[in-house]
Amino acid sequence: MKLGSIILFFAVCSFTAYYIYEPIPEDIDERWKLMLTDCFFRSLSHLADLSEFLGLMDYMGVMYLITLIENVTPESDKHVEVTVETFDGVEVLLYQPKQQGGDAELRRAVIYLHGGGWCLGSSRMGPYDLLVRRMVTELDAVVVSVEYRLAPPHHFPVPYEDVYRVVKHFLQEGVLAQYSVDPGRIAVSGDSAGGNLAAAVSQQLQKEPGQQIKLKAQALIYPVLQALDLNTPSYQQNRDMPILPRTLMVRFWSQYFTSNQAFFRAMMTNTHNSPESSSLLKFVNWSIFLPEKYHGKYNYSAPVVVQGAREDVGMDGLSRSLSDPRASPLLVPDTDLHSLPKAYIITCEYDVLRDDGLMYATRLQAAGVEVTLEHYEAGFHGGIMFTVWPTDFLIAHRMTDNYIKWLEENL
Ligand SMILES: *[C@@H]1O[C@H](CO)[C@@H](O)[C@H](O)[C@H]1NC(C)=O
Ligand SMILES: *[C@@H]1O[C@H](CO)[C@@H](O)[C@H](O)[C@H]1NC(C)=O
């Protein structure tokens, strides 16, 4: 039944694909599969728009179905013990290697933050469950997968604060001892919006007075890192690219901050900056931080700054959020970067967020942080999630292998 409906769905999609054909770059592998996968996301997005228009359910409510479809009940197996815990009031899935005959050795640990634009996703989604299990078995690591609260019911800073509370709670001697974790071998990691949260907590933690236990590494998978300039070359080049078209990313950003549609429209035209945020545009200036080869045919022009009161978009609290490095980790001066833990950053050529990751890599390197940048020339956003039939892609396996290898060697 489930298989039948999936096949039927793909058949309908392949038919529809002729009509909504978006050219997918030649060098992407498995193009047809990607086109069909994208067709699913596009159809759902149209349905969500329609549903919101008719007042049935709001856009994100419909999109959340993807999460629900992919959710599994994480269960312990032969190698991994999975439990649901609450860390300082926040739910987490805790994955631990099963003991092998009284080994007293301390383990490494990864705090993992799922993606989904702060509005979608769950640590319970099948692809995350699989990814995390591989980390546990191949790295002999304890993994804390955080079920932070989501926007739009919970706007910024709630998702961030949930994650921060978990990290603070976990990085206590007593807690680490309870799970046999080595305090010197802990990483924070996440994909997309999860990469945003991982970068943000890494920065904030180093400012925490009296924080004894530090992170050893941060592994950021095609992270979102800034909300000030939504017209970087990658935003322009990949405006209609599968999985994460620009409109959807802008929607995620605006919903992270507010449900005000006027703000979404301002972000769409890149005219959402206020005089307050404009002083920070220098930190996201791609003409400086983006290696020349990624400039492409695009010329730099700074986002338009609208002067005066922006009551139309309720700018008051928003301009504070826009300028907040806990939302946009790129917005900090170099002095806040140099003591950060070493970083692994994945970027994909066909991703609106490519330049966020590349600019952060440049800035971290310039500040003296050890950075491993892995750029996938034929990669697309969300790639690492596509490990499960029928939307399984070779690139997902390649990304996962490389990611785990880096953790193996660096954590
Ligand atoms: C960005 O950098 C260019 C130089 O490459 C400079 O002309 C421009 O003023 C900068 N803009 C901002 C907003 O920092
Ligand atoms: C960028 O600037 C160059 C030189 O000024 C100009 O020839 C080119 O048309 C500009 N490109 C775009 C996309 O505006």
Side-chain angles (χ1 to χ4, degrees):
M1 156 55 197
K2 195 175 171 200
L3 180 60
S5 47
I6 289 172
I7 289 171
L8 179 67
F9 187 80
F10 274 87
V12 172
C13 273
S14 56
F15 181 72
T16 321
Y18 282 106
Y19 296 95
I20 61 161
Y21 177 80
E22 290 293 341
I24 291 182
E26 294 282 339
D27 55 339
I28 291 187
D29 298 325
E30 304 173 280
R31 286 170 74 224
W32 271 98
K33 204 190 266 186
L34 182 59
M35 202 183 295
L36 294 179
T37 305
D38 187 42
C39 173
F40 170 80
F41 285 102
R42 267 174 210 274
S43 309
L44 190 67
S45 172
H46 290 145
L47 192 70
D49 274 327
L50 181 67
S51 161
E52 183 164 290
F53 177 73
L54 296 176
L56 298 174
M57 193 191 266
D58 65 22
Y59 180 90
M60 285 304 170
V62 177
M63 294 299 276
Y64 195 75
L65 290 174
I66 303 172
T67 307
L68 293 179
I69 290 169
E70 297 213 41
N71 273 2
V72 296
T73 307
E75 278 166 358
S76 299
D77 61 25
K78 206 158 75 196
H79 306 291
V80 184
E81 186 187 330
V82 190
T83 51
V84 181
E85 312 275 338
T86 306
F87 281 3
D88 194 14
V90 181
E91 187 180 291
V92 303
L93 298 184
L94 186 72
Y95 291 74
Q96 298 179 80
K98 286 214 165 137
Q99 299 283 347
Q100 288 162 5
D103 66 354
E105 237 176 75
L106 292 180
R107 298 180 159 119
R108 34 191 166 195
V110 179
I111 299 167
Y112 196 85
L113 311 167
H114 70 78
W118 311 280
C119 298
L120 310 174
S122 164
S123 52
R124 288 185 170 76
M125 286 171 79
Y128 290 122
D129 183 59
L130 280 178
L131 175 65
V132 163
R133 266 173 216 277
R134 271 196 67 180
M135 289 156 83
V136 175
T137 51
E138 292 177 34
L139 302 168
D140 190 34
V142 172
V143 179
V144 179
S145 192
V146 184
E147 193 67 358
Y148 56 88
R149 284 173 291 172
L150 300 175
H154 305 285
H155 293 298
F156 175 79
V158 173
Y160 163 81
E161 281 176 345
D162 279 0
V163 170
Y164 199 58
R165 285 220 304 280
V166 167
V167 174
K168 289 267 295 164
H169 174 85
F170 190 61
L171 297 189
Q172 298 181 82
E173 236 169 78
V175 176
L176 296 177
Q178 193 184 335
Y179 303 115
S180 306
V181 170
D182 182 343
R185 298 178 80 188
I186 302 166
V188 65
S189 181
D191 58 301
S192 195
N196 165 280
L197 296 166
V201 296
S202 302
Q203 287 183 4
Q204 299 305 314
L205 199 67
Q206 58 171 2
K207 293 187 188 165
E208 192 69 43
Q211 180 67 36
Q212 299 286 323
I213 300 169
K214 299 195 166 21
L215 294 168
K216 183 174 185 190
Q218 50 178 330
L220 316 176
I221 303 171
Y222 36 76
V224 199
L225 295 166
Q226 58 89 25
L228 297 195
D229 189 354
L230 306 177
N231 265 345
T232 60
S234 61
Y235 265 105
Q236 296 184 55
Q237 172 188 297
N238 303 306
R239 179 177 300 262
D240 292 314
M241 216 42 86
I243 315 304
L244 188 67
R246 180 174 183 271
T247 320
L248 183 55
M249 189 58 234
V250 172
R251 215 187 264 265
F252 283 143
W253 262 127
S254 67
Q255 294 269 323
Y256 190 26
F257 293 138
T258 175
S259 297
N260 183 337
Q261 291 290 329
F263 192 62
F264 167 70
R265 289 191 291 273
M267 282 189 132
M268 278 303 284
T269 51
N270 215 32
T271 56
H272 55 290
N273 280 282
S274 62
E276 192 177 347
S277 65
S278 73
S279 65
L280 301 171
L281 282 170
K282 60 177 187 277
F283 294 129
V284 301
N285 188 338
W286 61 260
S287 75
I288 296 171
F289 300 124
L290 197 59
E292 196 81 34
K293 70 181 267 215
Y294 299 104
H295 291 198
K297 60 179 186 197
Y298 306 102
N299 292 333
Y300 183 79
S301 68
V304 173
V305 178
V306 178
Q307 302 293 332
R310 290 294 302 274
E311 270 147 32
D312 58 327
V313 293
M315 262 325 268
D316 207 28
L318 287 177
S319 85
R320 221 167 312 124
S321 301
L322 260 182
S323 312
D324 195 326
R326 296 173 307 162
S328 291
L330 257 173
L331 303 184
V332 297
D334 290 357
T335 46
D336 286 2
L337 294 175
H338 68 83
S339 57
L340 282 174
K342 65 181 158 187
Y344 173 76
I345 302 178
I346 288 183
T347 53
C348 294
E349 180 60 26
Y350 301 114
D351 180 359
V352 290
L353 301 175
R354 179 196 70 182
D355 298 345
D356 282 23
L358 291 173
M359 286 195 281
Y360 202 42
T362 305
R363 293 205 52 211
L364 287 173
Q365 256 156 358
V369 177
E370 192 186 325
V371 178
T372 306
L373 172 65
E374 214 156 72
H375 180 68
Y376 288 82
E377 288 292 350
F380 55 90
H381 191 79
I384 211 167
M385 290 288 284
F386 294 105
T387 47
V388 184
W389 188 88
T391 52
D392 52 326
F393 287 83
L394 293 170
I395 195 164
H397 298 289
R398 218 158 59 231
M399 272 186 193
T400 310
D401 291 347
N402 291 339
Y403 167 73
I404 290 181
K405 181 159 171 274
W406 187 85
L407 288 172
E408 173 67 49
E409 289 166 0
N410 289 280
L411 181 58

